[in-house]
Amino acid sequence: MTTAIMYPKLNHQQIYEDYSAKIYRYFRYRVKNVWDVEDLTTTVFIKVYSKLEQYDGRHPFGAWIFRIAHNALIDYMRKKRESPVDQDTFSNMVATDKLPEECLLNQETTEGLWDKVHTLTKDQRNVIALRYLGDLRMNEIAEILGKTEASVKILHFRGIKKLQQLMTEQA
């Protein structure tokens, strides 16, 4: 894990390499327009670079960056009044080297799962997205969402339990 003291010494390219794919994936799940996703990702890194000296190291660096990303997404959605992407767009993001039959089965399962994610509460959807698309730990998610780690764990647990129940009913 990278510490706060290490990042100010690293160049902007290293920060971008470490976090750009995760930030992009987080936005791609939530925003329909690919160009807007790219703009949002760029905006986040501009803000990160301009505020890098303000990072105090009290929280994990990844949580700090995702807090900036989360706030940028909220601002974007307020301006655009946009809803999350359609299922076809999201399921096409998965890249595999599997046989076509496996890809189709995997895509159907993924589509079914993400259809079910949209039935969860807003907080549960945010936790699931940050956990599995942003690849963040619970304490980082709590920091980003401004909640306690315990409440994030409860939201995650209940969301996963509800998804398991819905997927079992479907099978």
Side-chain angles (χ1 to χ4, degrees), residues 8 13 19 37 40 89 108-109 119 128 132 144-145 156 160:
Q13 181 180 354
Y19 291 97
V37 171
L40 280 167
T89 304
E108 289 174 356
T109 303
T119 66
I128 298 287
Y132 298 105
I144 291 164
L145 298 178
H156 180 263
I160 294 297

Side-chain angles (χ1 to χ4, degrees), residues 47-58 64:
K47 287 180 182 178
V48 166
Y49 299 153
S50 69
K51 297 177 186 246
L52 194 56
E53 69 281 351
Q54 294 175 12
Y55 175 65
D56 61 11
R58 288 184 295 160
W64 182 72

Side-chain angles (χ1 to χ4, degrees), residues 62-75:
W64 182 72
I65 287 178
F66 267 92
R67 181 66 174 186
I68 292 171
H70 183 71
N71 290 340
L73 178 65
I74 289 170
D75 291 344

